[in-house]
Amino acid sequence: MAQHRVCQEQDDCARKVTLSTMRLRVLPPALLQDPRVESLNLDRNKLKHVPGISKLGNLRKLILSKNEIADFPEEIQSLVHLEKLELNQNQIRVIPEGIFSYLPRLKHLRLNNNRLSALPKDLATCSSSLQYLNMSNNLFRAVPQSVLELVSLQELYVQNNSLRQLPRELFEGRPLKMFKAHGNPLREPPSEVCAGGIQQILSYFSQLQNCQVEEDRRVKTMFLGASLAGKSTICKSLKQRQVVLVSEEERTVGIEISEFHIQDFTFLFWDFAGQLEYYVTHHVFITPQALVILVINFQKYQLNNDIFRELVGFWINNLFMRVPNSVVLPVGTHTDCCTEEEVEEKKRDIMSKIQAMLEERRANLTHFINNLESSEESEFYVDQWDRLKEMQSCTLTILNLVPINCTDYWDIKKLETTILEHVKNEEIFPNVIRVLPPVYKEVEAAIVDIVQSEETAEYGMMDLNHLLSEITHREHLSHLGTELFQDILRYLHRIGLIIWYEEIKQLESTVFLRPAFLITMFKILVRYHLVQQLENISVDLLVGEHATIRDQSNWVWTFKSKAMLCQRAMRALVKHQLYSEGMRDVFEEMVGHKAKKGKLFSLLEHFEICLEVRNTKDLNPGAREFVPGKRWETTQDCGEAYYLFPTYLNQSEEVSERWGGDHPEDLHIRAYFSPEIPEGFFQRMKEEIKTCGTCGHRFQTELLLPKVPSDMEVPQPPPPAHYYVTSYGTTTFGPSSIHINRQSILDK
């Protein structure tokens, strides 16, 4: 029996062969001579062709993912028993006819991340068997007819193509359970509807069938740029159709939102303040598929890299990180202060440097991907590889810069014409036109009425269910369901009429009807002279937060030295602002208390404007053990919550003094411990060769703290190692002294 079991195990191994990440360029001859093979995994190799694969006539599963295949292997048609086929992440452009008609048992097909724009007609012959199809990240402009004939399909993935319309029959007459289509310029149904799931898509088509179709042509337009660049002047001049000069005293504070019409297009203008303290919160409001008008002051612009980074590069980098598929229209202002030659020279300089940034980003991504693919441990970096590939497929669309004189209405008119031409270009804005049922406009009108009502609070924040109840009190909207209502809210959020962060658990039931209220909240904590604001907190506010003058001094010191604010300090700052503006009733909901986090903190953390930390003097010797691959959780701490603001970490004098100054080749890696360090953390950091988790590059490292002794004897205590802990920015935290003996961390 033992011998039989050994034979059985050997036979099972022979049937299932894995040759992943072997850098194969050809199939091993021994493999092709074994007809017993039923499962073959060849992913992450260097294969361009697979000649001889037809000899494996018993194959049921074939994985050829992440190779270099450009021509679809026609020998696959001989694998008549094949049930699972994966050819994703190759370079295939065309699949010839006559392949799938020989694969009657095929259930699972992955073709994502290729260069396909069509599928063969004979794919329909797999109608009774194919249950899973992934064709995402390709070049499809329409759903192939052969896909519509796959009546057994249960899962379909079409994300990140160029689809503008989804046929109704795709969702009828088949047991479809999973469907994803984000990343497409969909007009019908809009992506907001698709995000609601299959039932909402069917509901959408049902509404279209029973009412007159309406086309919506609206564009969310974001004005970005440094302070006093001319954003508000352009915005107001376009809206009022005459030159409207905005003085320095009248410049935007926070965000101003207005509506503007050109022909049959409606633009929702979001004019962002250009002051430095608002930069860190802009990305909270930028949504995909918006037109970003980047305003550059030509009078201040000089032909050097520093000025370019300040006035242009900073904004381009921000968009890269937050909304990498944006459309950006650079506009040069104050041209009346420059000669014609200077204007042209500055225009060429800006456009060439932006293009250089785009090229550098593409080159860096390609380099990172190649490093991961050539890594000896590439199987550990699958998630990073997928993320880099996704980033590689997204890029900013940079339109040609328009130089204007804001005091000349003909230049304003020229800008208006340029904007309209770009918006009408379907290659640039493929989904600017959406096909919507009339109920969308009806709900929007109802929300506008609610916002304008005297009964609505100034801050305009409302519970989702309460808002739905208010809307359904209107007779013509009495049958509005929750799912359809949420689809409409997603759409109104996308165009910028309201703010609804359904992806944030603590805010999923809250709708901000007046988006400008959020910037009012942000500027309380992200602003110049915050130290002075802390120092000026009144005694009454301190008493209300059970704090003393000494506590206030500690708040100031902690903020100046660590860029951290405790919850009581933040409550005091917010309370002063909200109470002075008559918003007392919303205070607790926004800031919360010790036992419950407020909505403001949830929002700030989600967008990484701050992060919750613990402020203690000592490390925790009882920290749980750190095990790679498993989630590590901190021990329960009843201390007061602190919030770290990376934007305020902008000094490095203490670090420079300690280490003798910076060197151009230094690589700065800063970590923040809050204050727990997982048991075994430094033990695993001491290895001399590390692999970058992002790009896969291997490099030598040395731990500045004392290395862990290799022998079991207790060594002589080394001199205390001084270290400074920092996070994100460059301000130092500390100082403190520790020594490490094996995995025990002892306070000194």
mmCIF file of all heavy atoms in Angstrom, residues 349-386:
data_model
loop_
_atom_site.group_PDB
_atom_site.id
_atom_site.type_symbol
_atom_site.label_atom_id
_atom_site.label_comp_id
_atom_site.label_asym_id
_atom_site.label_seq_id
_atom_site.Cartn_x
_atom_site.Cartn_y
_atom_site.Cartn_z
ATOM 1 N N ASP A 349 9.510 76.369 -23.214
ATOM 2 C CA ASP A 349 10.243 75.827 -22.070
ATOM 3 C C ASP A 349 9.329 74.997 -21.170
ATOM 4 O O ASP A 349 9.695 73.884 -20.751
ATOM 5 C CB ASP A 349 10.857 76.979 -21.269
ATOM 6 C CG ASP A 349 11.745 76.491 -20.136
ATOM 7 O OD1 ASP A 349 12.839 75.973 -20.436
ATOM 8 O OD2 ASP A 349 11.347 76.618 -18.967
ATOM 9 N N ILE A 350 8.148 75.531 -20.881
ATOM 10 C CA ILE A 350 7.206 74.819 -20.006
ATOM 11 C C ILE A 350 6.760 73.513 -20.650
ATOM 12 O O ILE A 350 6.771 72.446 -20.010
ATOM 13 C CB ILE A 350 5.994 75.711 -19.681
ATOM 14 C CG1 ILE A 350 6.422 76.859 -18.758
ATOM 15 C CG2 ILE A 350 4.869 74.896 -19.040
ATOM 16 C CD1 ILE A 350 5.354 77.919 -18.561
ATOM 17 N N MET A 351 6.369 73.562 -21.915
ATOM 18 C CA MET A 351 5.865 72.354 -22.573
ATOM 19 C C MET A 351 6.959 71.295 -22.705
ATOM 20 O O MET A 351 6.708 70.095 -22.508
ATOM 21 C CB MET A 351 5.294 72.700 -23.946
ATOM 22 C CG MET A 351 4.028 73.552 -23.898
ATOM 23 S SD MET A 351 2.696 72.811 -22.915
ATOM 24 C CE MET A 351 2.361 71.319 -23.848
ATOM 25 N N SER A 352 8.179 71.712 -23.003
ATOM 26 C CA SER A 352 9.261 70.735 -23.153
ATOM 27 C C SER A 352 9.598 70.083 -21.809
ATOM 28 O O SER A 352 9.869 68.876 -21.739
ATOM 29 C CB SER A 352 10.503 71.402 -23.744
ATOM 30 O OG SER A 352 11.031 72.381 -22.862
ATOM 31 N N LYS A 353 9.549 70.869 -20.733
ATOM 32 C CA LYS A 353 9.855 70.307 -19.416
ATOM 33 C C LYS A 353 8.736 69.392 -18.922
ATOM 34 O O LYS A 353 8.993 68.388 -18.245
ATOM 35 C CB LYS A 353 10.128 71.427 -18.416
ATOM 36 C CG LYS A 353 11.490 72.095 -18.630
ATOM 37 C CD LYS A 353 11.739 73.238 -17.674
ATOM 38 C CE LYS A 353 13.141 73.814 -17.903
ATOM 39 N NZ LYS A 353 13.381 75.044 -17.117
ATOM 40 N N ILE A 354 7.500 69.735 -19.241
ATOM 41 C CA ILE A 354 6.394 68.835 -18.882
ATOM 42 C C ILE A 354 6.534 67.515 -19.625
ATOM 43 O O ILE A 354 6.374 66.427 -19.047
ATOM 44 C CB ILE A 354 5.028 69.486 -19.180
ATOM 45 C CG1 ILE A 354 4.766 70.653 -18.230
ATOM 46 C CG2 ILE A 354 3.911 68.452 -19.056
ATOM 47 C CD1 ILE A 354 3.463 71.388 -18.496
ATOM 48 N N GLN A 355 6.847 67.586 -20.933
ATOM 49 C CA GLN A 355 7.028 66.358 -21.706
ATOM 50 C C GLN A 355 8.196 65.534 -21.167
ATOM 51 O O GLN A 355 8.144 64.299 -21.142
ATOM 52 C CB GLN A 355 7.255 66.690 -23.186
ATOM 53 C CG GLN A 355 6.029 67.241 -23.894
ATOM 54 C CD GLN A 355 4.828 66.312 -23.796
ATOM 55 O OE1 GLN A 355 4.952 65.103 -23.913
ATOM 56 N NE2 GLN A 355 3.654 66.892 -23.575
ATOM 57 N N ALA A 356 9.235 66.229 -20.716
ATOM 58 C CA ALA A 356 10.371 65.516 -20.123
ATOM 59 C C ALA A 356 9.939 64.799 -18.846
ATOM 60 O O ALA A 356 10.395 63.681 -18.567
ATOM 61 C CB ALA A 356 11.508 66.497 -19.829
ATOM 62 N N MET A 357 9.059 65.427 -18.063
ATOM 63 C CA MET A 357 8.532 64.768 -16.863
ATOM 64 C C MET A 357 7.747 63.512 -17.226
ATOM 65 O O MET A 357 7.872 62.465 -16.576
ATOM 66 C CB MET A 357 7.630 65.730 -16.081
ATOM 67 C CG MET A 357 8.343 66.874 -15.404
ATOM 68 S SD MET A 357 7.185 67.950 -14.497
ATOM 69 C CE MET A 357 6.676 66.855 -13.163
ATOM 70 N N LEU A 358 6.925 63.606 -18.275
ATOM 71 C CA LEU A 358 6.146 62.453 -18.711
ATOM 72 C C LEU A 358 7.059 61.320 -19.173
ATOM 73 O O LEU A 358 6.838 60.150 -18.840
ATOM 74 C CB LEU A 358 5.193 62.857 -19.846
ATOM 75 C CG LEU A 358 4.111 63.890 -19.519
ATOM 76 C CD1 LEU A 358 3.299 64.216 -20.768
ATOM 77 C CD2 LEU A 358 3.183 63.386 -18.426
ATOM 78 N N GLU A 359 8.085 61.680 -19.934
ATOM 79 C CA GLU A 359 9.017 60.667 -20.427
ATOM 80 C C GLU A 359 9.790 60.027 -19.274
ATOM 81 O O GLU A 359 10.013 58.812 -19.265
ATOM 82 C CB GLU A 359 9.993 61.293 -21.433
ATOM 83 C CG GLU A 359 9.361 61.689 -22.757
ATOM 84 C CD GLU A 359 8.811 60.484 -23.506
ATOM 85 O OE1 GLU A 359 9.379 59.378 -23.367
ATOM 86 O OE2 GLU A 359 7.808 60.644 -24.214
ATOM 87 N N GLU A 360 10.194 60.856 -18.321
ATOM 88 C CA GLU A 360 10.931 60.318 -17.178
ATOM 89 C C GLU A 360 10.061 59.357 -16.377
ATOM 90 O O GLU A 360 10.522 58.300 -15.927
ATOM 91 C CB GLU A 360 11.407 61.457 -16.274
ATOM 92 C CG GLU A 360 12.232 60.985 -15.087
ATOM 93 C CD GLU A 360 12.683 62.126 -14.190
ATOM 94 O OE1 GLU A 360 12.150 63.243 -14.332
ATOM 95 O OE2 GLU A 360 13.568 61.890 -13.353
ATOM 96 N N ARG A 361 8.794 59.704 -16.222
ATOM 97 C CA ARG A 361 7.889 58.816 -15.489
ATOM 98 C C ARG A 361 7.726 57.490 -16.221
ATOM 99 O O ARG A 361 7.766 56.416 -15.607
ATOM 100 C CB ARG A 361 6.521 59.492 -15.321
ATOM 101 C CG ARG A 361 5.506 58.640 -14.564
ATOM 102 C CD ARG A 361 4.213 59.408 -14.371
ATOM 103 N NE ARG A 361 3.264 58.674 -13.547
ATOM 104 C CZ ARG A 361 2.362 57.822 -14.024
ATOM 105 N NH1 ARG A 361 2.308 57.592 -15.333
ATOM 106 N NH2 ARG A 361 1.520 57.199 -13.217
ATOM 107 N N ARG A 362 7.535 57.552 -17.545
ATOM 108 C CA ARG A 362 7.402 56.311 -18.316
ATOM 109 C C ARG A 362 8.658 55.457 -18.209
ATOM 110 O O ARG A 362 8.591 54.239 -18.044
ATOM 111 C CB ARG A 362 7.088 56.634 -19.781
ATOM 112 C CG ARG A 362 5.637 56.973 -20.056
ATOM 113 C CD ARG A 362 5.350 57.001 -21.541
ATOM 114 N NE ARG A 362 5.889 58.190 -22.166
ATOM 115 C CZ ARG A 362 5.188 59.305 -22.367
ATOM 116 N NH1 ARG A 362 3.930 59.364 -21.975
ATOM 117 N NH2 ARG A 362 5.732 60.356 -22.944
ATOM 118 N N ALA A 363 9.818 56.123 -18.314
ATOM 119 C CA ALA A 363 11.086 55.391 -18.237
ATOM 120 C C ALA A 363 11.277 54.767 -16.856
ATOM 121 O O ALA A 363 11.730 53.620 -16.734
ATOM 122 C CB ALA A 363 12.246 56.324 -18.564
ATOM 123 N N ASN A 364 10.921 55.514 -15.813
ATOM 124 C CA ASN A 364 11.066 54.982 -14.457
ATOM 125 C C ASN A 364 10.163 53.778 -14.231
ATOM 126 O O ASN A 364 10.577 52.775 -13.641
ATOM 127 C CB ASN A 364 10.751 56.063 -13.426
ATOM 128 C CG ASN A 364 11.843 57.111 -13.319
ATOM 129 O OD1 ASN A 364 12.975 56.871 -13.727
ATOM 130 N ND2 ASN A 364 11.515 58.266 -12.786
ATOM 131 N N LEU A 365 8.920 53.869 -14.704
ATOM 132 C CA LEU A 365 8.001 52.748 -14.543
ATOM 133 C C LEU A 365 8.502 51.519 -15.290
ATOM 134 O O LEU A 365 8.451 50.396 -14.771
ATOM 135 C CB LEU A 365 6.601 53.133 -15.035
ATOM 136 C CG LEU A 365 5.806 54.094 -14.144
ATOM 137 C CD1 LEU A 365 4.514 54.515 -14.827
ATOM 138 C CD2 LEU A 365 5.506 53.464 -12.794
ATOM 139 N N THR A 366 8.994 51.721 -16.512
ATOM 140 C CA THR A 366 9.544 50.604 -17.282
ATOM 141 C C THR A 366 10.731 49.992 -16.566
ATOM 142 O O THR A 366 10.879 48.762 -16.495
ATOM 143 C CB THR A 366 9.970 51.083 -18.681
ATOM 144 O OG1 THR A 366 8.830 51.625 -19.358
ATOM 145 C CG2 THR A 366 10.536 49.931 -19.503
ATOM 146 N N HIS A 367 11.585 50.841 -15.996
ATOM 147 C CA HIS A 367 12.756 50.366 -15.259
ATOM 148 C C HIS A 367 12.332 49.551 -14.042
ATOM 149 O O HIS A 367 12.876 48.461 -13.775
ATOM 150 C CB HIS A 367 13.606 51.559 -14.833
ATOM 151 C CG HIS A 367 14.752 51.211 -13.919
ATOM 152 N ND1 HIS A 367 15.862 50.502 -14.348
ATOM 153 C CD2 HIS A 367 14.949 51.461 -12.597
ATOM 154 C CE1 HIS A 367 16.687 50.330 -13.338
ATOM 155 N NE2 HIS A 367 16.164 50.902 -12.262
ATOM 156 N N PHE A 368 11.349 50.064 -13.292
ATOM 157 C CA PHE A 368 10.883 49.351 -12.105
ATOM 158 C C PHE A 368 10.298 47.988 -12.485
ATOM 159 O O PHE A 368 10.551 46.982 -11.814
ATOM 160 C CB PHE A 368 9.823 50.177 -11.369
ATOM 161 C CG PHE A 368 10.343 51.457 -10.786
ATOM 162 C CD1 PHE A 368 9.495 52.516 -10.528
ATOM 163 C CD2 PHE A 368 11.695 51.611 -10.492
ATOM 164 C CE1 PHE A 368 9.963 53.706 -9.989
ATOM 165 C CE2 PHE A 368 12.181 52.786 -9.947
ATOM 166 C CZ PHE A 368 11.316 53.827 -9.696
ATOM 167 N N ILE A 369 9.493 47.979 -13.545
ATOM 168 C CA ILE A 369 8.864 46.726 -13.979
ATOM 169 C C ILE A 369 9.922 45.720 -14.414
ATOM 170 O O ILE A 369 9.866 44.536 -14.050
ATOM 171 C CB ILE A 369 7.856 47.005 -15.118
ATOM 172 C CG1 ILE A 369 6.649 47.774 -14.564
ATOM 173 C CG2 ILE A 369 7.404 45.698 -15.774
ATOM 174 C CD1 ILE A 369 5.722 48.312 -15.630
ATOM 175 N N ASN A 370 10.912 46.179 -15.165
ATOM 176 C CA ASN A 370 11.986 45.279 -15.606
ATOM 177 C C ASN A 370 12.769 44.723 -14.423
ATOM 178 O O ASN A 370 13.166 43.557 -14.423
ATOM 179 C CB ASN A 370 12.922 46.007 -16.567
ATOM 180 C CG ASN A 370 12.272 46.304 -17.906
ATOM 181 O OD1 ASN A 370 11.277 45.667 -18.272
ATOM 182 N ND2 ASN A 370 12.799 47.266 -18.634
ATOM 183 N N ASN A 371 13.004 45.567 -13.419
ATOM 184 C CA ASN A 371 13.707 45.097 -12.221
ATOM 185 C C ASN A 371 12.933 43.989 -11.514
ATOM 186 O O ASN A 371 13.507 42.985 -11.072
ATOM 187 C CB ASN A 371 13.946 46.254 -11.245
ATOM 188 C CG ASN A 371 15.192 47.045 -11.587
ATOM 189 O OD1 ASN A 371 15.999 46.627 -12.413
ATOM 190 N ND2 ASN A 371 15.352 48.187 -10.965
ATOM 191 N N LEU A 372 11.620 44.182 -11.417
ATOM 192 C CA LEU A 372 10.807 43.164 -10.761
ATOM 193 C C LEU A 372 10.799 41.868 -11.563
ATOM 194 O O LEU A 372 10.889 40.774 -10.999
ATOM 195 C CB LEU A 372 9.372 43.666 -10.574
ATOM 196 C CG LEU A 372 9.136 44.725 -9.491
ATOM 197 C CD1 LEU A 372 7.662 45.081 -9.430
ATOM 198 C CD2 LEU A 372 9.592 44.219 -8.131
ATOM 199 N N GLU A 373 10.684 41.994 -12.873
ATOM 200 C CA GLU A 373 10.618 40.801 -13.711
ATOM 201 C C GLU A 373 11.926 40.023 -13.714
ATOM 202 O O GLU A 373 11.934 38.802 -13.874
ATOM 203 C CB GLU A 373 10.226 41.186 -15.141
ATOM 204 C CG GLU A 373 8.794 41.678 -15.262
ATOM 205 C CD GLU A 373 8.445 42.143 -16.659
ATOM 206 O OE1 GLU A 373 9.380 42.428 -17.443
ATOM 207 O OE2 GLU A 373 7.253 42.231 -16.978
ATOM 208 N N SER A 374 13.045 40.732 -13.542
ATOM 209 C CA SER A 374 14.343 40.060 -13.559
ATOM 210 C C SER A 374 14.793 39.619 -12.168
ATOM 211 O O SER A 374 15.851 39.009 -12.018
ATOM 212 C CB SER A 374 15.408 40.983 -14.160
ATOM 213 O OG SER A 374 15.539 42.169 -13.395
ATOM 214 N N SER A 375 13.977 39.940 -11.145
ATOM 215 C CA SER A 375 14.340 39.563 -9.787
ATOM 216 C C SER A 375 14.316 38.052 -9.618
ATOM 217 O O SER A 375 13.466 37.355 -10.183
ATOM 218 C CB SER A 375 13.379 40.213 -8.785
ATOM 219 O OG SER A 375 13.566 39.684 -7.489
ATOM 220 N N GLU A 376 15.248 37.536 -8.844
ATOM 221 C CA GLU A 376 15.268 36.111 -8.556
ATOM 222 C C GLU A 376 14.090 35.704 -7.677
ATOM 223 O O GLU A 376 13.772 34.520 -7.559
ATOM 224 C CB GLU A 376 16.586 35.743 -7.861
ATOM 225 C CG GLU A 376 17.822 35.944 -8.742
ATOM 226 C CD GLU A 376 19.111 35.617 -8.007
ATOM 227 O OE1 GLU A 376 19.014 35.252 -6.809
ATOM 228 O OE2 GLU A 376 20.182 35.726 -8.627
ATOM 229 N N GLU A 377 13.453 36.669 -7.043
ATOM 230 C CA GLU A 377 12.318 36.387 -6.170
ATOM 231 C C GLU A 377 11.071 37.112 -6.676
ATOM 232 O O GLU A 377 10.294 37.661 -5.906
ATOM 233 C CB GLU A 377 12.642 36.833 -4.741
ATOM 234 C CG GLU A 377 13.872 36.159 -4.142
ATOM 235 C CD GLU A 377 14.275 36.784 -2.813
ATOM 236 O OE1 GLU A 377 14.022 37.988 -2.637
ATOM 237 O OE2 GLU A 377 14.824 36.060 -1.970
ATOM 238 N N SER A 378 10.881 37.107 -7.986
ATOM 239 C CA SER A 378 9.801 37.891 -8.580
ATOM 240 C C SER A 378 8.419 37.459 -8.106
ATOM 241 O O SER A 378 7.472 38.244 -8.141
ATOM 242 C CB SER A 378 9.862 37.801 -10.108
ATOM 243 O OG SER A 378 9.765 36.449 -10.520
ATOM 244 N N GLU A 379 8.304 36.200 -7.644
ATOM 245 C CA GLU A 379 6.989 35.751 -7.178
ATOM 246 C C GLU A 379 6.541 36.507 -5.938
ATOM 247 O O GLU A 379 5.355 36.537 -5.612
ATOM 248 C CB GLU A 379 7.012 34.246 -6.894
ATOM 249 C CG GLU A 379 7.911 33.810 -5.743
ATOM 250 C CD GLU A 379 9.342 33.530 -6.186
ATOM 251 O OE1 GLU A 379 9.716 33.960 -7.293
ATOM 252 O OE2 GLU A 379 10.070 32.882 -5.422
ATOM 253 N N PHE A 380 7.487 37.151 -5.225
ATOM 254 C CA PHE A 380 7.124 37.909 -4.032
ATOM 255 C C PHE A 380 6.592 39.302 -4.383
ATOM 256 O O PHE A 380 6.109 40.016 -3.503
ATOM 257 C CB PHE A 380 8.327 38.058 -3.093
ATOM 258 C CG PHE A 380 8.820 36.756 -2.534
ATOM 259 C CD1 PHE A 380 10.163 36.452 -2.545
ATOM 260 C CD2 PHE A 380 7.936 35.835 -2.002
ATOM 261 C CE1 PHE A 380 10.629 35.255 -2.027
ATOM 262 C CE2 PHE A 380 8.382 34.633 -1.485
ATOM 263 C CZ PHE A 380 9.732 34.334 -1.497
ATOM 264 N N TYR A 381 6.706 39.699 -5.633
ATOM 265 C CA TYR A 381 6.383 41.078 -6.004
ATOM 266 C C TYR A 381 5.245 41.161 -7.015
ATOM 267 O O TYR A 381 5.173 42.077 -7.810
ATOM 268 C CB TYR A 381 7.628 41.775 -6.559
ATOM 269 C CG TYR A 381 8.795 41.723 -5.609
ATOM 270 C CD1 TYR A 381 9.911 40.940 -5.877
ATOM 271 C CD2 TYR A 381 8.760 42.441 -4.422
ATOM 272 C CE1 TYR A 381 10.970 40.879 -4.992
ATOM 273 C CE2 TYR A 381 9.813 42.384 -3.526
ATOM 274 C CZ TYR A 381 10.920 41.602 -3.815
ATOM 275 O OH TYR A 381 11.957 41.537 -2.928
ATOM 276 N N VAL A 382 4.358 40.173 -6.978
ATOM 277 C CA VAL A 382 3.249 40.152 -7.935
ATOM 278 C C VAL A 382 2.358 41.375 -7.762
ATOM 279 O O VAL A 382 1.968 42.028 -8.741
ATOM 280 C CB VAL A 382 2.423 38.860 -7.771
ATOM 281 C CG1 VAL A 382 1.196 38.891 -8.674
ATOM 282 C CG2 VAL A 382 3.287 37.649 -8.081
ATOM 283 N N ASP A 383 2.030 41.727 -6.518
ATOM 284 C CA ASP A 383 1.158 42.876 -6.275
ATOM 285 C C ASP A 383 1.801 44.167 -6.767
ATOM 286 O O ASP A 383 1.138 45.014 -7.386
ATOM 287 C CB ASP A 383 0.834 42.998 -4.776
ATOM 288 C CG ASP A 383 -0.041 41.863 -4.289
ATOM 289 O OD1 ASP A 383 -0.674 41.207 -5.135
ATOM 290 O OD2 ASP A 383 -0.082 41.623 -3.071
ATOM 291 N N GLN A 384 3.109 44.337 -6.493
ATOM 292 C CA GLN A 384 3.796 45.543 -6.954
ATOM 293 C C GLN A 384 3.833 45.593 -8.479
ATOM 294 O O GLN A 384 3.670 46.659 -9.078
ATOM 295 C CB GLN A 384 5.226 45.591 -6.393
ATOM 296 C CG GLN A 384 5.285 45.830 -4.891
ATOM 297 C CD GLN A 384 5.351 44.530 -4.123
ATOM 298 O OE1 GLN A 384 4.800 43.521 -4.552
ATOM 299 N NE2 GLN A 384 6.038 44.541 -2.992
ATOM 300 N N TRP A 385 4.052 44.443 -9.089
ATOM 301 C CA TRP A 385 4.088 44.378 -10.557
ATOM 302 C C TRP A 385 2.748 44.803 -11.145
ATOM 303 O O TRP A 385 2.696 45.593 -12.093
ATOM 304 C CB TRP A 385 4.443 42.952 -10.990
ATOM 305 C CG TRP A 385 4.755 42.800 -12.446
ATOM 306 C CD1 TRP A 385 5.976 42.863 -13.046
ATOM 307 C CD2 TRP A 385 3.809 42.563 -13.496
ATOM 308 N NE1 TRP A 385 5.865 42.678 -14.403
ATOM 309 C CE2 TRP A 385 4.539 42.483 -14.709
ATOM 310 C CE3 TRP A 385 2.434 42.410 -13.541
ATOM 311 C CZ2 TRP A 385 3.928 42.256 -15.937
ATOM 312 C CZ3 TRP A 385 1.819 42.189 -14.765
ATOM 313 C CH2 TRP A 385 2.574 42.110 -15.943
ATOM 314 N N ASP A 386 1.672 44.275 -10.588
ATOM 315 C CA ASP A 386 0.337 44.629 -11.075
ATOM 316 C C ASP A 386 0.077 46.124 -10.907
ATOM 317 O O ASP A 386 -0.482 46.771 -11.808
ATOM 318 C CB ASP A 386 -0.732 43.834 -10.318
ATOM 319 C CG ASP A 386 -0.737 42.360 -10.707
ATOM 320 O OD1 ASP A 386 -0.222 42.028 -11.796
ATOM 321 O OD2 ASP A 386 -1.242 41.542 -9.911
#
